[in-house]
Amino acid sequence: MDNSTLANATTDLCVDSEQTPYPSVIWVALAVLMLATFFGNLLVIVSIAYFRQLHTPTNFLVLSLAVSDMLLGVSVLPFVTFLSMTPCSIHQKFLCRVKSLFDSLLCFASILNLYCICIDRYYAICRPLSYHSKINSRVIAGMISMTWSAAVVLALVVAFGGKKNKARCAITQNMRLSFLAALCAFYVPAVVMSTLYTKILLVVRRQVRSIQVANSSESVSKAERKATLTLAKVICAFLLLWAPFSICSTYPFSLPLPVFETFKFFGWFNSALNPFIYAYSHSWYRSAFRLFLTGKIFTETCANTRLN
């Protein structure tokens, strides 16, 4: 193919794609979102890996959630920015498939990790006597493996089961495929998590009302309740931020492209928000983050430090 033919093909691609780059303010917003998602979740990952007090079944699930959120920040968001800046690239179709694959994989993994965390909290609060026998290291490893395996399968279906839309590198599927993906990754987890957390919060409320003389087992119960309430906020954020995109992608009505993309940004923002929820709601994470941000872990051994 000579230069003139290549130029004509590129021009045709630009005309057919009907794409315009994002305004500069959107690129700035994407950059801020990318950095917040990466560094916030990296802080969660290193805190859980470093401090032995955070080596609990629940926190290993939180670690898996943070990994999926962090990877979304370093892979999907840079892809989105690059594709917007180069809408006329001859490799646009291939790059769109790759972006869609990673986007779907990491979003599904993030959502399914939340689902597993909810199950863990249900056993910890509603069935405390059987919690340690039901939820152990082997079970947690199995839950994490199943989460990522299911995310890979769903991502492959979404990325390669649809066709490239002419509008800003969107991948569209038929209604059955879109509904199936949303059913597995949003609707079913949302219904199950809402039901379980409603029951969990009722149990927590009943426990608070019937607190007896403080002892070691009561101290553990308080820690479990605090972790549960923190993760309940994470679930609420997930439901609020992912609902608009999930609903609009599975029902046969059309929205202006900027509105649809804004709903997707809400979903991506959920990955950046989770670390701030941990830091705001749980003193253990605040203490761990403080030790890292002040550099104290580099001057002394803090792995066994008691986090307040």
Side-chain angles (χ1 to χ4, degrees):
M1 180 182 293
D2 56 29
N3 292 335
S4 61
T5 304
L6 179 59
N8 291 334
T10 303
T11 302
D12 293 339
L13 178 63
C14 292
V15 172
D16 292 340
S17 65
E18 300 177 0
Q19 298 187 61
T20 57
Y22 290 123
S24 298
V25 65
I26 301 299
W27 290 346
V28 173
L30 281 171
V32 172
L33 181 61
M34 178 178 62
L35 292 174
T37 302
F38 174 70
F39 286 108
N41 286 287
L42 180 62
L43 205 53
V44 174
I45 293 169
V46 296
S47 295
I48 295 175
Y50 184 79
F51 292 103
R52 291 189 175 88
Q53 188 176 345
L54 297 178
H55 291 181
T56 66
T58 303
N59 283 330
F60 287 134
L61 292 174
V62 172
L63 176 64
S64 179
L65 171 64
V67 168
S68 62
D69 288 341
M70 184 191 71
L71 291 177
L72 186 143
V74 299
S75 61
V76 176
L77 297 181
F79 244 123
V80 172
T81 305
F82 175 77
L83 289 169
S84 172
M85 296 174 66
T86 58
C88 300
S89 170
I90 60 174
H91 304 295
Q92 183 84 349
K93 184 175 181 180
F94 170 75
L95 294 176
C96 281
R97 293 289 183 183
V98 176
K99 174 261 178 185
S100 179
L101 177 62
F102 281 99
D103 189 9
S104 301
L105 168 63
L106 297 172
C107 288
F108 287 145
S110 181
I111 293 169
L112 295 176
N113 275 309
L114 287 173
Y115 182 76
C116 291
I117 290 172
C118 185
I119 294 175
D120 169 84
R121 291 296 83 205
Y122 173 78
Y123 275 98
I125 299 299
C126 299
R127 300 185 179 182
L129 297 179
S130 62
Y131 175 69
H132 292 291
S133 62
K134 295 286 187 181
I135 307 296
N136 51 44
S137 299
R138 185 178 62 182
V139 172
I140 293 296
M143 293 171 72
I144 293 174
S145 298
M146 290 179 62
T147 290
W148 285 92
S149 298
V152 168
V153 172
L154 288 171
L156 290 172
V157 171
V158 170
F160 296 101
K163 60 182 180 179
K164 179 184 176 296
N165 195 326
K166 290 184 178 181
R168 222 193 288 277
C169 191
I171 300 295
T172 59
Q173 297 85 31
N174 57 56
M175 288 304 300
R176 290 183 180 179
L177 182 59
S178 295
F179 184 77
L180 177 62
L183 183 69
C184 295
F186 179 78
Y187 292 114
V188 172
V191 170
V192 174
M193 286 190 291
S194 299
T195 302
L196 290 180
Y197 260 101
T198 299
K199 185 172 183 178
I200 289 170
L201 293 177
L202 290 174
V203 172
V204 169
R205 186 178 180 183
R206 187 166 61 247
Q207 288 179 353
V208 170
R209 288 180 175 179
S210 60
I211 291 178
Q212 299 176 351
V213 179
N215 53 42
S216 59
S217 62
E218 182 61 34
S219 178
V220 173
S221 179
K222 287 182 179 179
E224 294 288 6
R225 288 200 299 269
K226 183 177 291 187
T228 299
L229 293 174
T230 298
L231 294 167
K233 296 176 183 178
V234 173
I235 298 298
C236 290
F238 154 72
L239 294 175
L240 290 174
L241 292 173
W242 274 108
F245 175 79
S246 299
I247 293 172
C248 292
S249 64
T250 54
Y251 283 88
F253 55 81
S254 59
L255 289 173
L257 180 60
V259 176
F260 192 75
E261 289 183 327
T262 299
F263 289 160
K264 189 57 185 286
F265 289 154
F266 287 165
W268 289 333
F269 178 67
N270 182 227
S271 295
L273 184 62
N274 287 338
F276 294 96
I277 295 177
Y278 303 142
Y280 177 79
S281 304
H282 206 302
S283 60
W284 288 3
Y285 284 103
R286 286 199 300 273
S287 298
F289 293 173
R290 191 181 304 114
L291 289 171
F292 272 101
L293 294 175
T294 57
K296 289 185 178 180
I297 64 161
F298 302 109
T299 59
E300 54 186 279
T301 303
C302 300
N304 294 317
T305 299
R306 184 70 181 174
L307 300 174
N308 298 319

